Amino acid sequence: MFVSKRILFFKSKENGYMLFCGNSNSFYQIDDENVSVIQKMIDTGKEDELPEEIRTEFIKSGVLLKESDEEFYNRLKFSSYLTRFSKNHLSLTIAPSMACNFKCVYCYEGSKVKNVTMTQEVMDGVIEFIKKSECKALSITWYGGEPLCAWDKILEFNKKIEELNLKSFTQDIVTNGSLLDEEKINFIYDKKFTNMQITLDGNEEIHNASRPMKNGGNSFQTIMSKLDLVYKLFKDQNKKIPVSIRVNISEKNANCYYDLYKDISMKYGDLFYIYPAFVTKSDDSDCHASTCLSFEKEAEFILRLSNEKGISTDKLFPAHNKLVGCGAQRINNYVISPNGDLHKCWEDISDKNKCVGNVLTGYRDNNNINYSFIVDSTGFEIEECKNCLFVYSCMGGCPRFRMNNETAGKIINPVCVNIKNNPEEFLETFYKMQKNQKCCC
Amino acid sequence: MKNIKSNSIMESFGMKEMDVEELMQISGGEEESCGVWIGCRVKCTCNGSTYITCPSKRILECTSWGMAL
């Protein structure tokens, strides 16, 4: 057997020795009596003195590998390539309209887009595109603009996709939530949407300042009234609707996350999943760049939230291992704008230079965008990632950030996971939260 | 030793171990020879995925982000 190097064995501040293994994201608290034998295993690369029970567990979790770390890495790299070039599964993010009833101050779609809504010709083109892909499984994320501004298009798409009789069809939606009503909520439940993401930017004052409505309405209270409606419809039915509330975090609102979390949790129980998402920037000239938390401050925020407020986040422990870091790194993954243009990344939806084709006129990847996303910007190709404890969990991070950082010659947005900042403290905090049963991981 | 979080490697990648016969029963699929992996692959008729087996004839089950060929 080979003792993997992708492990972290450390003495925690208050809870004795711990061992984390990145090959499987397994995490152990080590009894004092076994510390020396495990230390010896790491120092010598030999496992023959391990108690049988521990040896068996370590083989299962990849602390002990049947091949060297490099061979294991190459095996996963090979599997990752298979997945990236798989044609079986088609993932589409579709913006049926760029119209939106909000005018968020930071919207990256900004002034570059007009309120274009998908025509019948483009809708038919999308259906043809799905048919021609010969995919067996299809997943769609409804996006915009505000997708609920084009609800009739979503209904029509659903009807046409059902007629395709695909073996698997799943969908989810990213919405500001303000246009929800009983009919839409029930449709989202009945059609088994896997997620409905609604964004808040903090408490009422901060949220309304950064996500105002075009009609001058109170954006925060409007969203809350829709959450009330969802709660009313589902609280007594023992049904769970997959609503996640994304709270964008910057210097401006980091301090009010706890109060917002507490208010929503007290009002709605655990019906909604609430999570913090750190604001990122397009470049240093971005007028919101100065309000973004630094990588170190993000880590402090996560730890303080757990240690001082008892709120866990999914950033405390590495996410599930995966073979592809981002959907944009798969060949059969596209973002479709209302005029039928195909892109790889959501944030490029309004950028003609990042267009890789159109559902009506075909594929034309003039700038080799697919290559950049699929081959050139994944963790497997980068030396720092190759030796990282968390590579199989993050897979090199956001490929768009990575490309932008390389072009700029500096880090505009960090690509690494927050736990990398201070793994021992993150892991011990995770342990303490688990012990107190407050962990969401 | 206390297992705070104990995953097998495959579980951690969202995959589940099962043997070929078990998978074929679930999927209603058929076994095929495979050119890229030692072992075989099984065509699944339930969700359109193809499952590949590892050299020891255990199955790595596909997920949407998994090992679909």
Side-chain angles (χ1 to χ4, degrees):
Chain A
M1 300 300 293
F2 293 79
V3 179
S4 176
K5 293 185 174 63
R6 217 172 295 278
I7 57 173
L8 178 67
F9 183 48
F10 64 100
K11 187 176 185 183
S12 66
K13 285 178 186 163
E14 298 166 15
N15 296 282
Y17 279 86
M18 296 182 160
L19 190 148
F20 171 80
C21 176
N23 293 331
S24 64
N25 289 340
S26 293
F27 186 31
Y28 307 103
Q29 188 184 39
I30 306 296
D31 301 328
D32 288 345
E33 67 194 53
N34 291 317
V35 168
S36 61
V37 75
I38 288 174
Q39 188 61 59
K40 193 172 178 188
M41 173 195 82
I42 294 168
D43 293 342
T44 63
K46 290 179 182 160
E47 88 287 3
D48 42 5
E49 289 183 29
L50 284 179
E52 195 50 37
E53 186 191 344
I54 294 180
R55 189 174 179 275
T56 305
E57 175 63 29
F58 280 3
I59 291 171
K60 185 187 103 177
S61 65
V63 175
L64 295 172
L65 292 170
K66 290 173 187 166
E67 56 200 340
S68 69
D69 278 307
E70 193 174 356
E71 285 169 309
F72 183 70
Y73 188 80
N74 288 339
R75 181 181 299 282
L76 289 174
K77 182 175 172 179
F78 172 71
S79 299
S80 175
Y81 270 98
L82 289 176
T83 303
R84 281 183 246 174
F85 290 101
S86 165
K87 290 268 191 173
N88 275 352
H89 189 118
L90 176 65
S91 298
L92 299 178
T93 297
I94 301 177
S97 174
M98 293 311 283
C100 185
N101 57 336
F102 279 23
K103 48 176 181 179
C104 303
V105 294
Y106 49 73
C107 180
Y108 54 77
E109 294 172 4
S111 55
K112 285 184 277 186
V113 290
K114 294 174 184 165
N115 289 349
V116 181
T117 295
M118 214 172 252
T119 61
Q120 192 61 51
E121 185 190 17
V122 174
M123 289 181 72
D124 292 342
V126 172
I127 295 298
E128 274 308 302
F129 183 79
I130 295 169
K131 278 187 198 167
K132 278 184 192 162
S133 78
E134 297 183 350
C135 68
K136 293 163 185 166
L138 170 70
S139 60
I140 292 180
T141 296
W142 301 108
Y143 188 61
E146 167 49 46
L148 296 186
C149 284
W151 181 245
D152 56 330
K153 308 283 177 193
I154 294 175
L155 294 179
E156 194 179 334
F157 265 122
N158 263 272
K159 202 173 154 208
K160 290 191 168 177
I161 289 166
E162 278 168 15
E163 287 167 5
L164 297 178
N165 280 323
L166 297 168
K167 285 177 179 167
S168 165
F169 171 47
T170 57
Q171 54 191 325
D172 61 277
I173 187 165
V174 179
T175 170
N176 64 35
S178 66
L179 298 172
L180 284 169
D181 57 27
E182 197 166 333
E183 179 217 324
K184 295 185 184 86
I185 294 165
N186 282 327
F187 183 87
I188 284 165
Y189 179 79
D190 291 341
K191 293 294 176 186
K192 299 185 173 61
F193 276 46
T194 54
N195 188 31
M196 172 161 63
Q197 181 193 298
I198 296 173
T199 303
L200 291 174
D201 273 2
N203 61 27
E204 185 167 354
E205 187 188 347
I206 297 172
H207 174 91
N208 284 345
S210 64
R211 290 175 72 79
M213 295 178 85
K214 283 180 179 165
N215 66 5
N218 185 320
S219 158
F220 185 87
Q221 287 301 340
T222 303
I223 294 170
M224 286 302 159
S225 71
K226 303 304 177 180
L227 294 179
D228 285 346
L229 180 62
V230 176
Y231 183 66
K232 189 181 123 199
L233 288 172
F234 289 93
K235 70 170 180 176
D236 296 327
Q237 299 180 45
N238 204 21
K239 289 180 186 171
K240 188 93 176 163
I241 186 160
V243 177
S244 59
I245 299 175
R246 170 192 167 113
V247 182
N248 287 330
I249 300 291
S250 67
E251 292 274 10
K252 282 182 186 173
N253 68 352
N255 289 333
C256 67
Y257 178 81
Y258 170 69
D259 289 335
L260 184 65
Y261 180 97
K262 197 175 64 178
D263 289 349
I264 296 174
S265 301
M266 282 176 70
K267 200 168 176 190
Y268 306 117
D270 63 355
L271 188 62
F272 308 132
Y273 171 62
I274 312 158
Y275 68 100
F278 297 115
V279 174
T280 58
K281 51 195 167 185
S282 48
D283 55 49
D284 282 343
S285 63
D286 184 336
C287 62
H288 307 287
S290 62
T291 68
C292 292
L293 294 179
S294 67
F295 191 53
E296 292 73 24
K297 282 192 174 174
E298 287 178 4
E300 277 173 33
F301 173 87
I302 295 161
L303 291 170
R304 211 172 53 236
L305 205 59
S306 300
N307 290 324
E308 294 174 16
K309 306 290 188 186
I311 299 175
S312 188
T313 77
D314 60 4
K315 294 176 174 64
L316 202 53
F317 194 80
H320 231 286
N321 282 349
K322 49 189 172 282
L323 292 168
V324 179
C326 169
Q329 291 166 323
R330 296 178 71 242
I331 191 99
N332 233 8
N333 193 106
Y334 294 101
V335 178
I336 306 181
S337 65
N339 67 0
D341 278 351
L342 300 165
H343 297 267
K344 292 304 289 180
C345 172
W346 295 13
E347 300 210 11
D348 295 332
I349 193 166
S350 307
D351 189 344
K352 279 277 177 194
N353 292 324
K354 302 283 173 63
C355 179
V356 296
N358 184 283
V359 294
L360 299 176
T361 57
Y363 184 77
R364 51 162 202 286
D365 187 4
N366 296 335
N367 295 324
N368 220 2
I369 304 290
N370 247 322
Y371 171 82
S372 304
F373 272 102
I374 298 170
V375 179
D376 203 28
S377 53
T378 70
F380 282 113
E381 321 304 334
I382 293 147
E383 207 54 37
E384 187 191 349
C385 297
K386 197 171 181 179
N387 299 314
C388 178
L389 192 57
F390 307 108
V391 64
Y392 300 133
S393 169
C394 111
M395 293 299 286
C398 169
R400 190 176 191 275
F401 286 173
R402 189 172 285 287
M403 283 187 267
N404 288 349
N405 291 348
E406 273 171 26
T407 306
K410 60 180 176 180
I411 294 174
I412 297 171
N413 288 296
V415 289
C416 295
V417 286
N418 295 108
I419 189 174
K420 197 175 171 185
N421 192 276
N422 189 348
E424 295 178 11
E425 193 170 353
F426 269 66
L427 289 168
E428 187 173 10
T429 304
F430 172 79
Y431 169 75
K432 285 191 277 188
M433 295 298 286
Q434 274 239 325
K435 210 163 93 178
N436 298 328
Q437 294 189 321
K438 283 181 181 168
C439 202
C440 63
C441 309
Chain B
M1 187 172 75
K2 184 179 172 190
N3 299 348
I4 302 164
K5 211 167 170 66
S6 170
N7 304 311
S8 73
I9 293 172
M10 281 199 272
E11 280 167 355
S12 80
F13 281 90
M15 298 178 269
K16 196 173 142 190
E17 273 190 277
M18 57 177 93
D19 61 31
V20 177
E21 288 73 24
E22 190 184 352
L23 177 70
M24 284 168 65
Q25 237 177 6
I26 292 169
S27 68
E30 55 188 82
E31 195 171 348
E32 290 188 336
S33 64
C34 172
V36 291
W37 201 277
I38 305 163
C40 64
R41 58 183 178 175
V42 172
K43 259 191 179 173
C44 170
T45 54
C46 66
N47 67 1
S49 299
T50 298
Y51 297 81
I52 61 178
T53 59
C54 71
S56 59
K57 292 276 274 182
R58 302 294 288 178
I59 294 291
L60 311 180
E61 189 184 0
C62 301
T63 64
S64 57
W65 297 102
M67 302 184 77
L69 280 171

